[in-house]
Amino acid sequence: MEKERTFDCLCIKSIDYKDNDKLVTLYAFGEGKITASLKGVKKAKAKLKYASALFCFGKYYLAGKNGYNNVIGCDLTDSFYGIWTDIDKYYPAVCSLEILDKIADDREIGDKLAVLTLQFLNELCYKSTNNFIAFAKFLYNAIKLTGYNLQINCLNCGDNNPDNFYYSYIKNGLLCGNCHDSSAVQLSKNVILFLKSLLNGEIEKSEFDNKTYLSSIKVLMDIIGKNLAKRFKTFDEYFLFYNKMNNYI
């Protein structure tokens, strides 16, 4: 007999399976990641179609045995529909799900990161007036949650107030003008000011151009990726989209 289980879950991945089914990866609070199938959900009149969509948050009812799970019901809490209708919200939202998917195997931080992700989705969908700032704040909080720190000083000499800073994608941190090598990329003063506003909790007061926000987000993402030895495919698409849209490349 199949055993029924119930969890509060966030759908973080959804792929087609067979002709009419889908496989979803759910983050179940208190349990961790769960893979489950939704049978017949691709049919036009499927009642649980919403439960197979990214960002769906609700109480999922699962049944299965021998390690296999089927979604047999879902009480929807929020679908975050506004994210689906705004590409400026959609890209960072999907990025946040990929972070949760790849990091949440560490159960010590899984639930905390899932809460942080839900808070971010809620802010993006209902509250955010600047999606870049909201995304940068989420990334910074994710960095802190995983046990790493963003430091505005030179990795080599410790100088915290040089005339200019460079970011080293090899050393995964900032270098001053005297210590940087050819592989480091110079950061604008605005990027440094924006990153400092993150550290000082004054990010909501900051006001910069999109190029500054994107450069700052790229630094934050590199810190997450290098420190955790993870590659995030969605971020490559995110940067390519905005760089093309703003003619930065």
Side-chain angles (χ1 to χ4, degrees):
M1 183 175 180
E2 293 188 349
K3 181 180 180 181
E4 183 176 321
R5 299 186 297 165
T6 305
F7 299 102
D8 292 322
C9 297
L10 174 65
C11 182
I12 60 177
K13 185 184 291 185
S14 179
I15 60 173
D16 291 337
Y17 181 64
K18 296 183 178 179
D19 291 336
N20 294 303
D21 303 347
K22 284 206 169 189
L23 282 178
V24 293
T25 300
L26 306 172
Y27 187 85
F29 286 83
E31 180 72 12
K33 289 197 303 182
I34 295 175
T35 299
S37 63
L38 289 101
K39 297 186 179 300
V41 78
K42 291 167 64 179
K43 295 180 180 179
K45 296 183 179 180
K47 294 182 179 180
L48 287 176
K49 189 179 294 289
Y50 64 91
S52 67
L54 292 180
F55 315 126
C56 179
F57 175 59
K59 189 178 294 296
Y60 280 74
Y61 298 86
L62 308 175
K65 57 184 178 179
N66 300 325
Y68 293 95
N69 297 288
N70 297 310
V71 178
I72 59 174
C74 178
D75 296 333
L76 180 65
T77 300
D78 202 334
S79 65
F80 299 105
Y81 179 74
I83 291 175
W84 283 98
T85 59
D86 187 338
I87 196 167
D88 290 317
K89 297 178 185 293
Y90 179 80
Y91 266 114
V94 174
C95 289
S96 72
L97 295 188
E98 187 177 10
I99 290 179
L100 179 57
D101 181 35
K102 291 191 175 181
I103 297 178
D105 289 331
D106 183 341
R107 292 300 308 283
E108 291 187 9
I109 64 171
D111 279 4
K112 293 179 181 178
L113 183 57
V115 169
L116 182 63
T117 304
L118 274 176
Q119 291 172 341
F120 174 56
L121 296 178
N122 185 70
E123 181 173 359
L124 267 185
C125 191
Y126 302 113
K127 302 176 183 179
S128 175
T129 57
N130 187 312
N131 298 323
F132 292 120
I133 290 179
F135 190 28
K137 185 168 63 175
F138 165 78
L139 293 175
Y140 175 61
N141 287 330
I143 288 171
K144 291 196 299 182
L145 190 60
T146 53
Y148 298 98
N149 292 309
L150 172 64
Q151 297 182 351
I152 309 298
N153 59 263
C154 177
L155 290 176
N156 284 350
C157 68
D159 191 351
N160 60 7
N161 193 30
D163 292 332
N164 48 57
F165 267 120
Y166 294 75
Y167 184 76
S168 172
Y169 288 94
I170 295 177
K171 296 185 177 180
N172 191 213
L174 300 179
L175 297 172
C176 69
N178 294 325
C179 297
H180 81 278
D181 54 33
S182 59
S183 66
V185 177
Q186 187 171 9
L187 301 178
S188 70
K189 290 184 179 179
N190 280 344
V191 169
I192 298 302
L193 289 173
F194 180 70
L195 293 176
K196 284 183 176 179
S197 73
L198 272 173
L199 270 71
N200 297 331
E202 299 175 346
I203 189 173
E204 304 298 345
K205 300 177 183 178
S206 64
E207 188 172 338
F208 298 100
D209 58 24
N210 288 351
K211 190 171 184 178
T212 296
Y213 294 132
L214 286 169
S215 297
S216 302
I217 287 170
K218 191 172 184 179
V219 167
L220 295 170
M221 271 314 308
D222 190 70
I223 291 173
I224 291 177
K226 294 288 177 55
N227 285 333
L228 297 172
K230 302 286 185 180
R231 175 79 183 272
F232 299 99
K233 180 181 177 181
T234 310
F235 297 114
D236 296 335
E237 299 174 7
Y238 173 85
F239 291 119
L240 181 62
F241 171 77
Y242 281 108
N243 281 330
K244 284 186 174 180
M245 188 174 70
N246 292 282
N247 295 317
Y248 297 149
I249 59 174

